Amino acid sequence: MSNWEILWSARDQFWSGFFSTMEIFGLSISAAFLIGCGMLYLLEGSRPRLTVPLRVFIDGMRMLPFLILAYLLYYGLPAFDIRLDAWWSGVGALAVYHGCYFAEIFRGARLTFPPGQVEAAKAHGFTKGKMFFRLILPQIVMQTRPLLGNQLIYALKDTAFLVIITVQELTAAANSLAGTYFIPTEAFIVVIGFYWAVSVVMEIIIKQCGRFSAKRGFDHV
Amino acid sequence: MFEKNTSEQTAVSIRHLSKSFDGVEVLRDVDLEVREGDVVTILGSSGSGKSTLLRCINWLEQPDRGSIHIGGQRIGVNDAGRPMPVRELAKVRARTGMVFQSFNLWPHLNVLHNITEAPIHVLGKSKAEAEAHARELLEKVGMSPKADAYPNTLSGGQKQRVAIARALAMQPEVMLFDEPTSALDPELVGEVLAVIKDLSAEGYTMIVVTHEMAFSRAVSDKVVFLDKGLIIEQADPETFFTNPSTERVRKFLEREES
């Protein structure tokens, strides 16, 4: 049997790793998006007692290597009597870490949001919550679409770190096959193919979403 | 409180209004009464405080002193003399409609949804009711064919007409226009002024800050002239434009004519 035939016969391991990666990615990136939106909402208005600690937290996360955060959640939290299994530690770490990146991307766009539109909303009787979710946030998301697409790819790649805290995902599957049959080159080439394929599909979807915003004058696709 | 539906009812009442920005007095003890159905235009050179006065009426700027009542309801300050809670303030604000110099349409919504957004999500109207009303208003401002267009595809004059319809959709007691034609190309000014003229004929109460003298003369029931934050002249348009009582206004009108 050639090395490639060995991998083919073990394809079920790849698939299960792949689905596990996609599950982790889908769940954590959705949570990260909501965390980013929530943080942007909390940063609205001028309550320094809330906004200053939040900004420090966001920056603290962004300046932290992702792997350290994953370690901290998996190995560090039990010291405080909080025990998460490897899977939930990984999902939690990804969600919080990329949530902070999302928040920072949104915050940058919020700074250049036209104040006249907020005035128009106030003049029409809008209060903070509805104004934010119906008028500000949709525009911020459309405007930051290319950056969000980029962040999705970062998040996908960061799922590979979770192999180190024993999550059984795609990279773990490749690792195990590489070790069992001593064929690291082929095994890792296969996972590269998986990561590339998912990234390319995401790029296409994000690009298609660009048409939606281009129609409204937000960008040019 | 006032009795409802008397022809002499006060729509907006401004008393002793003062406002400073960084120690510069922008409005000084301004008093102004606007009766229901009246069109009041506010004239004055740039920096005279006329936009600030208008923006105080719906509390986009908070005055330092004085009071503003809209249909008998004081804005910004509650009965106990404290700053109004946000929700209460929003309700009083919704009794005014504002049209901005720079339109400020919401670009992610199409024309129809720009107009129905606040009626549905602020007033709680049903979608069907809000859309039917919005289409009537689009008809009124001559923008029906553009109901499904997005703001970025419209000309300035079209955007402003949509903005007028958007404000009218809240069925406000008073319409506030903040230099509605100042950001427009000269050839687009006419279409917007024509819409405002139509509204005045329909009996809407309006306060218009403008630089358009001929328009002011044609539509106003009262012309107010602000100079360095003071109202120095308040008269019917005939008197104001032909026989102003102050030298300052005479000079202003001469310069505008030349």
Side-chain angles (χ1 to χ4, degrees):
Chain A
M1 272 212 297
S2 80
N3 291 347
W4 294 108
E5 283 167 328
I6 295 172
L7 290 179
W8 180 249
S9 64
R11 60 189 177 277
D12 284 352
Q13 272 195 63
F14 275 118
W15 280 119
S16 101
F18 172 75
F19 287 124
S20 169
T21 287
M22 292 315 290
E23 200 178 357
I24 291 168
F25 173 69
L27 192 63
S28 58
I29 208 69
S30 308
F33 181 80
L34 295 178
I35 289 171
C37 295
M39 284 178 167
L40 182 69
Y41 180 71
L42 294 178
L43 288 171
E44 288 278 311
S46 46
R47 284 162 300 173
R49 252 195 259 175
L50 181 67
T51 55
V52 171
L54 197 55
R55 290 280 308 277
V56 170
F57 178 74
I58 291 171
D59 283 344
M61 280 293 159
R62 287 169 50 230
M63 293 166 191
L64 186 73
F66 172 71
L67 189 54
I68 306 282
L69 180 65
Y71 273 148
L72 206 60
L73 257 59
Y74 188 54
Y75 297 114
L77 280 185
F80 303 96
D81 258 348
I82 303 170
R83 274 163 223 284
L84 299 175
D85 63 20
W87 198 86
W88 280 110
S89 301
V91 170
L94 280 167
V96 172
Y97 190 77
H98 289 278
C100 288
Y101 270 96
F102 277 134
E104 187 64 10
I105 291 170
F106 291 151
R107 195 181 70 82
R110 179 65 182 89
L111 291 176
T112 58
F113 190 82
Q117 283 194 44
V118 174
E119 288 194 340
K122 285 183 184 169
H124 284 76
F126 275 93
T127 48
K128 192 183 147 196
K130 275 189 179 161
M131 188 196 311
F132 178 78
F133 287 106
R134 296 205 51 86
L135 303 175
I136 298 175
L137 187 60
Q139 294 191 45
I140 299 265
V141 172
M142 281 186 225
Q143 199 193 326
T144 55
R145 180 194 55 84
L147 296 172
L148 298 181
N150 210 25
Q151 199 60 38
L152 290 183
I153 291 177
Y154 276 120
L156 175 69
K157 293 189 298 183
D158 277 354
T159 59
F161 277 119
L162 301 183
V163 65
I164 297 179
I165 58 166
T166 73
V167 176
Q168 296 303 310
E169 42 67 78
L170 184 56
T171 302
N175 223 3
S176 133
L177 287 168
T180 313
Y181 302 104
F182 305 104
I183 43 170
T185 311
E186 288 83 352
F188 288 122
I189 285 174
V190 170
V191 291
I192 288 172
F194 273 108
Y195 287 118
W196 278 359
V198 176
S199 299
V200 166
V201 170
M202 281 197 303
E203 280 282 279
I204 292 169
I205 293 171
I206 294 288
K207 191 139 201 171
Q208 290 302 310
C209 294
R211 292 189 179 184
F212 181 85
S213 42
K215 203 170 145 195
R216 291 155 176 79
F218 282 90
D219 56 42
H220 312 278
V221 181
Chain B
M1 283 292 152
F2 294 85
E3 291 293 314
K4 274 266 169 210
N5 296 327
T6 55
S7 56
E8 289 295 292
Q9 196 179 330
T10 306
V12 176
S13 164
I14 299 171
R15 297 242 177 276
H16 303 301
L17 201 71
S18 297
K19 169 80 183 168
S20 306
F21 287 116
D22 298 326
V24 180
E25 280 197 298
V26 185
L27 293 174
R28 294 189 278 175
D29 201 31
V30 169
D31 284 300
L32 181 64
E33 293 281 324
V34 180
R35 289 173 311 169
E36 242 178 41
D38 271 5
V39 179
V40 173
T41 54
I42 303 176
L43 305 180
S45 39
S46 312
S48 59
K50 49 196 194 313
S51 279
T52 305
L53 174 58
L54 197 74
R55 290 162 56 81
C56 282
I57 296 175
N58 65 358
W59 220 251
L60 286 180
E61 301 288 355
Q62 297 175 13
D64 301 329
R65 282 183 303 283
S67 67
I68 299 164
H69 288 79
I70 296 157
Q73 162 80 58
R74 184 160 181 197
I75 187 166
V77 179
N78 66 14
D79 295 339
R82 296 223 172 76
M84 238 176 197
V86 187
R87 285 185 187 282
E88 210 179 318
L89 175 62
K91 271 192 191 140
V92 188
R93 265 185 180 145
R95 296 170 68 167
T96 68
M98 191 169 212
V99 174
F100 298 85
Q101 183 177 343
S102 50
F103 329 123
N104 295 338
L105 294 179
W106 300 305
H108 62 306
L109 302 174
N110 69 19
V111 164
L112 187 72
H113 293 149
N114 259 278
I115 300 173
T116 58
E117 181 70 14
I120 293 173
H121 297 283
V122 174
L123 300 180
K125 283 194 184 179
S126 74
K127 197 167 178 250
E129 187 189 355
E131 287 192 358
H133 188 212
R135 288 189 194 280
E136 276 170 36
L137 292 168
L138 282 175
E139 185 75 45
K140 193 199 288 271
V141 300
M143 288 293 294
S144 292
K146 293 284 187 183
D148 298 323
Y150 284 93
N152 67 313
T153 62
L154 304 179
S155 73
Q158 291 174 324
K159 282 182 192 169
Q160 197 60 298
R161 286 188 279 149
V162 172
I164 292 171
R166 178 176 69 169
L168 289 173
M170 297 296 283
Q171 294 170 303
E173 294 163 40
V174 54
M175 286 284 285
L176 311 171
F177 292 85
D178 189 7
E179 302 200 24
T181 59
S182 297
L184 297 178
D185 290 339
E187 72 265 30
L188 302 177
V189 169
E191 62 186 75
V192 172
L193 293 183
V195 167
I196 303 175
K197 263 184 203 167
D198 287 349
L199 297 180
S200 79
E202 289 181 39
Y204 281 94
T205 310
M206 304 196 279
I207 305 176
V208 188
V209 169
T210 184
H211 291 285
E212 301 287 333
M213 297 301 136
F215 166 78
S216 163
R217 191 169 184 168
V219 303
S220 302
D221 295 293
K222 178 153 80 178
V223 182
V224 171
F225 189 87
L226 267 177
D227 184 46
K228 299 191 183 89
L230 284 170
I231 292 187
I232 60 167
E233 186 122 8
Q234 238 188 104
D236 63 276
E238 212 40 47
T239 314
F240 183 92
F241 286 101
T242 57
N243 191 20
S245 61
T246 58
E247 188 59 25
R248 177 72 185 87
V249 172
R250 242 191 299 278
K251 284 243 171 68
F252 179 83
L253 293 174
E254 272 170 26
R255 209 179 48 219
E256 289 293 328
E257 271 165 25
S258 62

